[in-house]
């Protein structure tokens, strides 16, 4: 069965967002709806809250015709078939998956089963419905300890240091092989660096369950007084202040990157089909939509240290935040930030927000919702 064309108006295009109630998914739904797309969300709410959907409706003012929600797990083929039977899905943005690095080390079977088998099930159902336009939520973690900095898309992939990262890398391979076997597929792998921040309204944001693993949500909990101090994992790295350096990117910049990718997949923007090593880009179809497998790094190209983040968050919340220097965390690397030229040249996308704005928006979300969506 041939693929749906994306070379049409946003208002005539329906996008399935798996994991759309989650952190990056919910922000991407806001951007999609504000750009006129019709959105269908499938989320099993295992690591998210349906309140996020209510907040999306408040932010965008859309009705149920424009935003439809299914409580569904991508492993459930019957439920996913119902989603495709009941909605004219044109494209999929696939976020759904377990994503806690530390948890994946102690629960590898659950991570491989949920993330990989779930993706296989999703792709099988999509293909049966003639839908082969897919954006995959990948991660810079697939580069492992990168061979060079800043990281370009053709930087060799190295073994991720945890099952979570391995699932991202393996799913990239699955999707690449899907295209090699059937050139109707139109796939983009978006490799995020470190997504942080929140929508400027403070109505949606990052809401990890339990004690956050990641730096910014942990720091936010310290700022609201729920945790006593920030643990700084290592101050003896070969970096300007000795603490780990990462490429933090505002979640709304990331959301905008997904919408611009959809336009690109439909044949808009871009300077042609020039491709870098490691990706396969076909020629756009007669109607302009593309086919192939393309990779884009979504980052800012700027590295910030742990102490940079702690100080920026202190400025945002109006007080210096307490921290303690501790030994390095197993599996961490010293430095990681993106080269973003390809996304700029091909998609016309550039990150707009700096660390100051990311922390301001994160603080607004956390201070208005000290217990996340549960409050
Ligand atoms: C950032 C820096 C830590 C917590 C991971 C995943 C990646 C992506 C983002 C999903 C490091 C230091 C952290 C703390 C600290 N997730 N740190 N104290 O490890 O770069 O990336 O999350 O896509 O795939 O790998 O993010 O926020 O955990 O760590 O000092 O309490 O902060 O050592 O230098 P990371 P992070």
């Amino acid at each position: 069965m041939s693929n749906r064309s994306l070379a049409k108006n946003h208002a005539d295009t329906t996008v399935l967002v798996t994991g759309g109630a989650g952190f990056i998914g919910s922000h991407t739904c806001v951007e999609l709806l504000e750009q006129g797309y019709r959105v269908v969300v499938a989320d099993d709410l295992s690591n998210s809250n349906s309140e996020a959907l209510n907040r999306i409706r408040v932010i965008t003012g859309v009705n149920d015709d424009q935003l439809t929600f299914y409580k569904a797990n991508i492993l459930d083929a019957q439920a996913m078939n119902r989603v495709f039977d009941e909605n004219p899905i044109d494209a999929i943005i696939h976020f759904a998956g377990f994503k806690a690095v530390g948890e994946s080390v102690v629960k590898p079977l659950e991570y491989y089963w949920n993330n990989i088998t779930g993706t296989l099930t999703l792709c099988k159902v999509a293909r049966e419905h003639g839908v082969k336009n897919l954006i995959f939520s990948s991660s810079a973690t697939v580069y492992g300890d990168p061979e060079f900095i800043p990281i370009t898309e053709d930087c060799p992939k190295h073994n991720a240091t945890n099952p979570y990262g391995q699932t991202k890398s393996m799913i990239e391979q699955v999707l690449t092989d899907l295209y090699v076997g059937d050139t109707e597929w139109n796939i983009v792998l978006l490799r995020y660096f470190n997504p942080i921040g929140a929508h400027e309204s403070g109505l949606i944001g990052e809401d990890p369950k339990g004690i956050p693993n990641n730096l910014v949500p942990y720091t936010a909990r310290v700022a609201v007084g729920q945790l006593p101090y920030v643990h700084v994992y290592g101050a003896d790295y070969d970096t300007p202040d000795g603490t780990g350096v990462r490429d933090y990117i505002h979640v709304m910049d990331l959301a905008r990157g997904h919408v611009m990718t959809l336009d690109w997949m439909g044949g808009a923007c871009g300077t042609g089909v020039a491709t870098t090593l490691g990706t396969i880009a076909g020629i756009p179809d007669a109607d302009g939509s593309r086919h192939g497998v393309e990779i884009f790094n979504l980052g800012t190209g700027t590295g910030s240290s742990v102490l940079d983040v702690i100080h920026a968050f202190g400025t945002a919340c109006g007080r210096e935040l307490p921290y303690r220097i501790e030994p390095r965390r197993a599996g961490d690397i010293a430095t990681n930030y993106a080269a973003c030229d390809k996304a700029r040249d091909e998609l016309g996308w550039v990150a707009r927000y700096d660390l100051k704005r990311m922390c301001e928006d994160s603080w607004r979300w956390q201070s208005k919702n000290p217990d996340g969506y549960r409050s």
Side-chain angles (χ1 to χ4, degrees), residues 8-80:
K8 54 185 181 177
N9 297 329
H10 292 181
D12 301 327
T13 306
T14 299
V15 182
L16 169 61
V17 182
T18 73
F23 174 42
I24 303 171
S26 58
H27 288 78
T28 300
C29 286
V30 167
E31 190 67 18
L32 286 165
L33 291 164
E34 291 186 342
Q35 294 301 320
Y37 285 97
R38 182 171 175 268
V39 173
V40 176
V41 170
D43 196 310
D44 67 356
L45 302 181
S46 62
N47 192 25
S48 55
N49 193 308
S50 60
E51 175 60 17
L53 277 300
N54 298 332
R55 306 286 182 92
I56 291 169
R57 290 189 181 91
V58 171
I59 292 170
T60 59
V62 299
N63 58 37
D64 285 349
D65 289 341
Q66 294 156 289
L67 172 61
T68 308
F69 171 60
Y70 290 81
K71 184 172 187 272
N73 186 312
I74 55 174
L75 282 161
D76 181 346
Q78 188 178 3
M80 296 314 294

Side-chain angles (χ1 to χ4, degrees), residues 36 43 81 96 98 100 105 157 189 257 262 284 320 328 341 347 367:
D43 196 310
N81 268 302
F98 294 159
V105 175
K157 287 168 64 171
L189 312 175
L262 277 176
E320 274 305 307
R328 296 181 179 187
D341 308 76
L347 303 178
S367 56

Side-chain angles (χ1 to χ4, degrees), residues 203-217:
L203 290 173
I204 57 175
E206 190 168 10
D207 183 24
K209 289 193 160 76
I211 304 294
N213 299 298
N214 296 134
L215 175 64
V216 169

Side-chain angles (χ1 to χ4, degrees), residues 91-170:
I92 302 161
I93 302 183
H94 178 31
F95 294 105
F98 294 159
K99 63 163 190 172
V101 170
E103 184 185 54
S104 75
V105 175
V106 294
K107 293 184 174 179
L109 178 58
E110 289 75 9
Y111 268 70
Y112 286 114
W113 184 261
N114 184 70
N115 292 6
I116 295 178
T117 313
T119 302
L120 295 174
T121 305
L122 173 67
C123 290
K124 183 171 182 296
V125 171
R127 182 179 64 181
E128 288 162 357
H129 289 79
V131 178
K132 299 177 183 177
N133 300 304
L134 186 141
I135 296 173
F136 175 57
S137 167
S138 192
S139 168
T141 202
V142 303
Y143 297 112
D145 196 350
E147 288 197 10
F148 49 79
I149 301 279
I151 302 174
T152 57
E153 286 82 355
D154 50 10
C155 181
K157 287 168 64 171
H158 285 309
N159 268 346
T161 53
N162 54 77
Y164 156 76
Q166 286 287 14
T167 65
K168 291 296 186 183
S169 190
M170 292 177 178

Side-chain angles (χ1 to χ4, degrees), residues 24 99 101 138-141 162 164 168 192-195 212-218 230-234 237 243-246 248 306 329 332-334 336:
I24 303 171
K99 63 163 190 172
V101 170
S138 192
S139 168
T141 202
N162 54 77
Y164 156 76
K168 291 296 186 183
Y192 316 147
F193 282 69
N194 287 59
N213 299 298
N214 296 134
L215 175 64
V216 169
Y218 195 101
V230 182
H231 304 253
V232 178
Y233 296 139
Y237 287 104
T243 64
V245 170
R246 296 291 184 273
Y248 297 96
V306 175
R329 181 173 65 174
D332 274 348
I333 60 175
N336 190 352

Side-chain angles (χ1 to χ4, degrees), residues 316-359:
C317 71
R319 68 183 179 97
E320 274 305 307
L321 297 174
Y323 63 86
R324 287 186 191 168
I325 305 294
E326 297 182 358
R328 296 181 179 187
R329 181 173 65 174
D332 274 348
I333 60 175
T335 300
N336 190 352
Y337 57 88
C340 318
D341 308 76
K342 188 179 174 189
R344 179 196 63 215
D345 298 340
E346 284 288 325
L347 303 178
W349 175 90
V350 177
R352 292 174 181 164
Y353 302 125
D354 61 8
L355 185 64
K356 177 175 181 292
R357 172 67 185 268
M358 295 179 215
C359 291

